[in-house]
Amino acid sequence: REKRRGKWVTVVAGLDPSATDLKQLAKELKAKCASGGTATDDGVEVQGDHRDKIVDHLKALGYPAKPAGG
């Protein structure tokens, strides 16, 4: 998670864009967290501090996720 312009943004980085459908993953994460966001070149950004929800969801999908950002 990062703080941008005074607000929290949860960033999922380090994903392989050729092996992962980033747009679909972003759509799932945004729906799970009930917030906005976007798919970037190598990951996903979700508005707000949803680190724990996103890590749990990624682990359920089989990704080796771990929380970062204190």
Side-chain angles (χ1 to χ4, degrees):
R1 61 186 178 184
E2 297 177 4
K3 203 165 194 181
R4 297 184 183 170
R5 296 187 186 106
K7 301 193 185 263
W8 288 105
V9 177
T10 304
V11 179
V12 179
L15 298 176
D16 183 13
S18 62
T20 305
D21 184 9
L22 293 178
K23 288 185 180 183
Q24 181 62 33
L25 181 61
K27 185 176 180 180
E28 290 176 17
L29 293 176
K30 291 188 308 183
K32 178 118 179 120
C33 298
S35 67
T38 187
T40 60
D41 292 337
D42 66 340
V44 177
E45 296 178 359
V46 179
Q47 296 172 355
D49 182 11
H50 303 287
R51 182 179 68 171
D52 296 331
K53 287 183 194 176
I54 289 177
V55 168
D56 291 341
H57 186 70
L58 289 174
K59 284 184 179 179
L61 292 175
Y63 291 97
K66 64 179 183 177

